Amino acid sequence: MDLTRSLELIIANVQELLAESDEQIHLAPGELNETTRLVGQQGILTSLELVTLLFNVEQTISDELNTVVTLADERAMSQEKSPFRTIGSLAQYVDTLLTEASSHG
Amino acid sequence: MDDVMLITGARKGIGRYLAEYYVQRGYVVEGCSRKAPDWTLEGYTHHCVDVTDEVQVRDMLNNIRKRHGRLDITLNNAGIASMNHAMLTPMSVAQKIISTNFLGTFLMCRESAKLMAKNKFGRIVNFSTIAVPLQLEGEALYASAKSAVETLTRILAREFAELGITSNAIGPTPIPTDLIRAVPQEKMDALIDRLAIRRPGCFEDVSNVVDFFISRASDSVTGQVLYLGGVS
């Protein structure tokens, strides 16, 4: 799974969450991109939706690659800038974990 | 579709009884324990998993997701006990008791909730003990770990409420199983004397309460710890 595929699957999952959301956030599909803020000020997800996004992405990775990764790991939690702040930073973090998993595996 | 239930510590004792009880009632039952059971049952699948091992727990939940696409109920029954005076409790034993009884329960709750959240429905039942409210001597570590389970249960009730998941705990009276095999009879008699209902517990006492907690109608019953035997 390369960075482009990680971005695709994150965007697809975010779209799904927004479609189910009670919040009135209207974004056209093309408006979600690497710079879209997920959490914090101007973030488009609630904290619960972020949690759901993370484990949906973990499950998709498990299904597609048969690899188990934990996105909300200690390193993610201790970083000064959260890897979950934008779609792009999350995709980058997924890519880092997958690269590490393949080099260990 | 039949509800999918996961029971930890299902190889023997209360766990095995609950596995048999809920298979009979039409649930799809998955269970785990460190060692394989010496019995099989149609409708029941066993996983050899240590509840304190994050990778093993995640693999098991992934396996359940891939085969059933859902998880509705988790009964966190797995536990170990070591009755001893606090001054005679080795650190290694203390760590094992906290790890299995508390951290194992936490891990199972966390991973179960991820799967339950998909359907916005879930029932988690954790296992405490009457040793918590009775503050039983000789059970400092065991009761402390279970006390932590109770607090976890109450906080998860709030954190998981939005996901449609309830979190409750049961505190059974002592049931004659391997867990309390080493407790001398006079200690058991003295303990039973402190109960309002003066008899040892039985498996049916437990399934009766679990039935109530996991009922679809119990969607506003969460964050509760229910003790048996009239202890409060």
Side-chain angles (χ1 to χ4, degrees):
Chain A
M1 184 180 288
D2 59 12
L3 193 57
T4 313
R5 175 69 192 119
S6 298
L7 271 172
E8 274 173 15
L9 89 88
I10 292 164
I11 289 172
N13 271 298
V14 170
Q15 275 170 346
E16 205 175 302
L17 283 169
L18 292 179
E20 292 170 1
S21 173
D22 297 333
E23 308 283 323
Q24 295 300 306
I25 296 173
H26 299 290
L27 284 170
E31 286 181 80
L32 291 174
N33 56 43
E34 288 176 55
T35 61
T36 306
R37 285 200 75 93
L38 293 174
V39 286
Q41 280 187 340
Q42 285 137 32
I44 56 171
L45 300 182
T46 63
S47 54
L48 194 63
E49 285 165 348
L50 175 71
V51 172
T52 310
L53 171 67
L54 295 183
F55 61 71
N56 284 350
V57 171
E58 286 176 3
Q59 289 181 356
T60 310
I61 290 169
S62 162
D63 291 342
E64 286 190 14
L65 303 176
N66 215 15
T67 301
V68 177
V69 294
T70 303
L71 294 173
D73 63 2
E74 223 170 302
R75 182 169 39 166
M77 297 307 177
S78 62
Q79 285 184 21
E80 204 173 314
K81 276 191 168 179
S82 166
F84 311 144
R85 66 192 183 283
T86 64
I87 287 178
S89 64
L90 177 57
Q92 191 64 57
Y93 196 63
V94 167
D95 197 54
T96 305
L97 292 182
L98 288 178
T99 306
E100 285 175 7
S102 64
S103 66
H104 291 143
Chain B
M1 185 187 266
D2 294 332
D3 277 354
V4 179
M5 173 186 278
L6 172 60
I7 304 172
T8 69
R11 185 170 69 91
K12 56 185 185 172
I14 300 174
R16 177 178 177 176
Y17 163 77
L18 290 171
E20 290 169 349
Y21 177 86
Y22 285 108
V23 163
Q24 264 180 20
R25 273 153 190 77
Y27 288 81
V28 173
V29 180
E30 305 273 323
C32 70
S33 62
R34 282 169 297 178
K35 294 183 201 157
D38 57 5
W39 50 273
T40 56
L41 183 64
E42 202 182 322
Y44 174 82
T45 306
H46 195 84
H47 306 258
C48 285
V49 163
D50 177 347
V51 293
T52 66
D53 186 316
E54 189 172 13
V55 173
Q56 287 183 18
V57 168
R58 294 195 51 156
D59 283 350
M60 174 174 68
L61 270 294
N62 247 326
N63 179 288
I64 292 172
R65 181 174 63 85
K66 284 177 182 168
R67 288 187 298 115
H68 304 300
R70 60 189 287 169
L71 175 65
D72 303 286
I73 300 155
T74 293
L75 310 182
N76 281 310
N77 160 73
I80 54 167
S82 174
M83 316 301 175
N84 220 342
H85 192 284
M87 290 168 76
L88 298 173
T89 302
M91 192 59 178
S92 58
V93 172
Q95 278 166 337
K96 230 184 247 177
I97 291 174
I98 299 288
S99 189
T100 302
N101 294 306
F102 174 58
L103 295 178
T105 298
F106 160 70
L107 192 54
M108 290 298 310
C109 288
R110 189 188 76 187
E111 293 304 314
S112 296
K114 290 181 180 179
L115 198 39
M116 291 170 175
K118 286 242 167 211
N119 294 328
K120 289 264 162 45
F121 176 84
R123 298 279 184 264
I124 292 173
V125 181
N126 293 328
F127 279 67
S128 183
T129 165
I130 57 159
V132 174
L134 292 181
Q135 298 172 12
L136 293 182
E137 293 155 45
E139 304 204 9
L141 265 298
Y142 180 68
S144 298
K146 292 296 194 182
S147 197
V149 167
E150 292 187 6
T151 301
L152 177 77
T153 301
R154 293 189 183 102
I155 294 178
L156 294 187
R158 290 177 174 273
E159 289 192 2
F160 293 170
E162 260 188 280
L163 301 165
I165 301 168
T166 65
S167 161
N168 293 289
I170 175 174
T173 45
I175 298 172
T177 64
D178 282 358
L179 194 79
I180 56 166
R181 193 182 40 193
V183 180
Q185 192 56 48
E186 63 269 23
K187 287 255 183 207
M188 288 302 300
D189 292 343
L191 169 55
I192 286 166
D193 267 349
R194 293 178 66 185
L195 307 178
I197 309 296
R198 291 199 175 84
R199 65 163 172 82
C202 61
F203 292 146
E204 290 78 8
D205 295 336
V206 176
S207 51
N208 179 42
V209 175
V210 175
D211 279 342
F212 167 64
F213 281 148
I214 69 174
S215 158
R216 296 253 163 188
S218 295
D219 61 346
S220 76
V221 179
T222 193
Q224 305 303 307
V225 180
L226 200 157
Y227 299 116
L228 291 170
V231 177
S232 55

